[in-house]
Amino acid sequence: MKKIYSLFILLVFIVSDSAAQQFTHKALLNQVAKKAYCKIHVPNSFRQFAGPDLHDVRILDEKNKQVPYKVSKFITHLAVNSIEPLQYVNNNNTEFIIEKGDKPTWSQVVLKIKNSAVTKQYTVSGSNDKKKWFALTDTSNLTLYVDNQEVAVNKIIDFPLVDYNYIKINIDNSSSVPLNVLSIGYSTSEVIANTLDKIQPFTFTVANDSIADKTTIHIRFEQAQQIDQLKLYVTGPSYYVREANLYKIVSNKYKNKTVQYNGALTAFQIRSKTNLMYDVNLFENDFYIEIANYDNEPLQIDSINFYQNPYYLAAELAPNNNYTIQCGDNKLNTPIYDIANFHELDASILPEVLVGETIDLRLPQNQIIAIKPFYEQQWFMWVCIGIGVLALGLFSASLLKDVKK
């Protein structure tokens, strides 16, 4: 009796576990030449099938094992052609005392380091007289990655905005030989962010209402999209100032009736002689832009584009391994990886790995039946149910016998 009951529990576990993870889309990652932390740009062609915060995204190796990753919403890079050298003292490649010079305040320095592939821990402190030092940062990691294109790399050391005359960087060399620091400078160049990702495909229709003196643009995407910016292309008239409202159709039940109304999303002004690019924060697939024309002729709207801020994943990948990125299982929560706590991985010097074509895993029903393993087949589920009923029947009969005794 105990054996039958145990078998029933095992079969129920197999059936429930077979539906544990159901991803809807996946894409293959390009292979890497050597083991290293890499950055993976999540393209819109894949991202549109994931949750807006990527909570359902997983990187899996060829053994279906999760690969930890860190999400970065914005990846920036430093223009290296405009670094002003600073005076500093190098004490055995372990302690660097840097002089501010004539700058009123500072919040970062740039270390030019001979190309390497190591991770060092460091702390930053500040002083006005090089005698009394005050902590500016906790212990942080300085991570370098091999770059075959350059013999030296620039690493930014950030700290809170201060007006100390001197900054001291202490690098822990206890676990490996020192870094070869070539120079230390102050960046006068701007930090450049990556370009926005264009969102496609979508359809839009423009309807002019001469009675209500308004123009309505209906936008529809195949999937709900995270939209961070929109840009209008207007060809005429030459001068205009129009108020625009962005809304969606909302349905609610009221007294057993379905009532529809316009749910406001955001508003902005369309004005000639400007770039007509607007920051928004939407996760929608069907919405409208309503433009008030008043007594003016309608705007001649040539086209409209939508953009989203890029997402990057930083993960350690190894050669000779077929990695995939998968998404679409809404039952999954945001993964908790240790790697998320290390901000030095938010760097553009990581080698980039491209994402291949997105594959839809939701095959037609007849194809799904053909490729399902036996424990996902319908007949197997009915067998489990039959065994369960039989086991419960035998168990009930055994209880009745014990009661009669």
Side-chain angles (χ1 to χ4, degrees):
M1 187 65 202
K2 288 183 179 179
K3 290 182 179 180
I4 294 175
Y5 185 72
S6 299
L7 178 62
F8 172 67
I9 295 297
L10 177 62
L11 290 172
V12 170
F13 174 78
I14 292 174
V15 173
S16 61
D17 185 64
S18 66
Q21 283 190 348
Q22 296 293 331
F23 295 108
T24 63
H25 292 81
K26 74 173 184 178
L28 188 66
L29 301 183
N30 282 10
Q31 288 199 350
V32 297
K34 59 182 69 176
K35 187 175 182 179
Y37 278 95
C38 306
K39 70 174 181 181
I40 303 162
H41 175 223
V42 185
N44 177 253
S45 59
F46 176 87
R47 182 177 163 186
Q48 62 181 305
F49 302 109
D53 57 354
L54 304 189
H55 70 273
D56 55 334
V57 170
R58 298 293 186 272
I59 300 175
L60 303 176
D61 64 15
E62 56 190 19
K63 295 181 180 179
N64 221 33
K65 183 180 177 182
Q66 287 191 43
V67 178
Y69 64 83
K70 183 184 189 304
V71 178
S72 297
K73 293 183 180 180
F74 302 97
I75 301 295
T76 60
H77 66 275
L78 177 69
V80 298
N81 295 326
S82 53
I83 297 179
E84 179 182 323
L86 292 171
Q87 297 295 320
Y88 67 95
V89 175
N90 180 354
N91 294 324
N92 299 320
N93 290 310
T94 298
E95 179 183 87
F96 298 86
I97 300 177
I98 309 158
E99 187 175 347
K100 181 180 64 174
D102 57 357
K103 305 209 176 289
T105 59
W106 51 346
S107 61
Q108 65 174 217
V109 293
V110 181
L111 273 60
K112 188 172 184 178
I113 305 171
K114 202 74 170 178
N115 208 353
S116 183
V118 297
T119 297
K120 297 279 191 178
Q121 290 190 325
Y122 71 92
T123 58
V124 182
S125 53
S127 173
N128 284 321
D129 56 9
K130 293 194 288 186
K131 295 179 180 179
K132 292 183 179 180
W133 293 95
F134 303 94
L136 294 181
T137 68
D138 290 328
T139 301
S140 304
N141 285 341
L142 175 64
T143 302
L144 299 176
Y145 304 92
V146 174
D147 187 345
N148 294 326
Q149 306 300 317
E150 302 289 344
V151 296
V153 295
N154 291 282
K155 290 297 295 185
I156 302 174
I157 303 295
D158 290 304
F159 44 86
L161 183 67
V162 293
D163 59 358
Y164 288 122
N165 292 325
Y166 302 95
I167 293 296
K168 181 168 66 176
I169 301 175
N170 284 98
I171 300 178
D172 183 3
N173 292 318
S174 60
S175 59
S176 61
V177 296
L179 296 171
N180 186 0
V181 178
L182 302 176
S183 63
I184 299 177
Y186 186 92
S187 171
T188 57
S189 60
E190 65 175 323
V191 176
I192 304 171
N194 286 74
T195 57
L196 299 176
D197 290 337
K198 194 173 183 179
I199 308 173
Q200 291 179 321
F202 67 94
T203 60
F204 78 96
T205 56
V206 180
N208 295 312
D209 188 339
S210 58
I211 298 176
D213 292 327
K214 67 180 181 180
T215 297
T216 303
I217 307 173
H218 183 193
I219 298 103
R220 185 172 180 83
F221 291 88
E222 294 180 2
Q223 305 284 336
Q225 299 274 2
Q226 175 60 41
I227 304 171
D228 297 304
Q229 283 193 352
L230 67 87
K231 184 171 185 177
L232 292 169
Y233 294 86
V234 178
T235 58
S238 299
Y239 297 93
Y240 52 84
V241 179
R242 309 288 169 90
E243 301 300 324
N245 291 294
L246 201 151
Y247 67 89
K248 65 178 180 178
I249 303 299
V250 180
S251 298
N252 278 334
K253 282 191 174 182
Y254 179 74
K255 294 184 178 179
N256 297 325
K257 291 184 179 181
T258 300
V259 179
Q260 290 187 333
Y261 61 94
N262 296 346
L265 296 173
T266 189
F268 52 90
Q269 187 181 77
I270 304 174
R271 191 182 187 96
S272 58
K273 313 303 179 183
T274 63
N275 65 2
L276 303 183
M277 199 160 200
Y278 307 96
D279 292 327
V280 294
N281 184 14
L282 313 172
F283 186 73
E284 305 289 343
N285 72 315
D286 195 336
F287 54 93
Y288 299 81
I289 300 174
E290 184 180 274
I291 304 170
N293 294 324
Y294 304 109
D295 297 321
N296 306 288
E297 62 176 302
L299 298 177
Q300 298 170 25
I301 300 171
D302 179 66
S303 61
I304 182 171
N305 283 335
F306 296 92
Y307 304 90
Q308 57 189 192
N309 295 321
Y311 267 107
Y312 289 82
L313 308 182
E316 187 178 32
L317 304 180
N320 303 319
N321 203 322
N322 295 315
Y323 295 97
T324 59
I325 179 172
Q326 306 197 26
C327 72
D329 188 348
N330 291 324
K331 300 187 298 294
L332 294 177
N333 295 320
T334 301
I336 301 175
Y337 297 131
D338 293 336
I339 193 176
N341 298 291
F342 298 94
H343 301 296
E344 64 267 20
L345 292 170
D346 301 334
S348 62
I349 62 170
L350 296 180
E352 184 168 357
V353 173
L354 299 179
V355 176
E357 182 181 353
T358 301
I359 301 171
D360 193 338
L361 301 175
R362 300 166 298 179
L363 299 174
Q365 189 64 30
N366 59 345
Q367 295 185 38
I368 293 177
I369 294 173
I371 64 173
K372 276 186 177 180
F374 76 94
Y375 52 79
E376 291 184 12
Q377 299 286 353
Q378 192 173 16
W379 64 265
F380 183 72
M381 297 181 69
W382 282 110
V383 169
C384 291
I385 293 172
I387 293 175
V389 171
L390 178 62
L392 289 173
L394 293 173
F395 184 66
S396 299
S398 176
L399 286 176
L400 288 173
K401 276 186 178 182
D402 292 339
V403 169
K404 289 179 179 180
K405 290 178 181 180

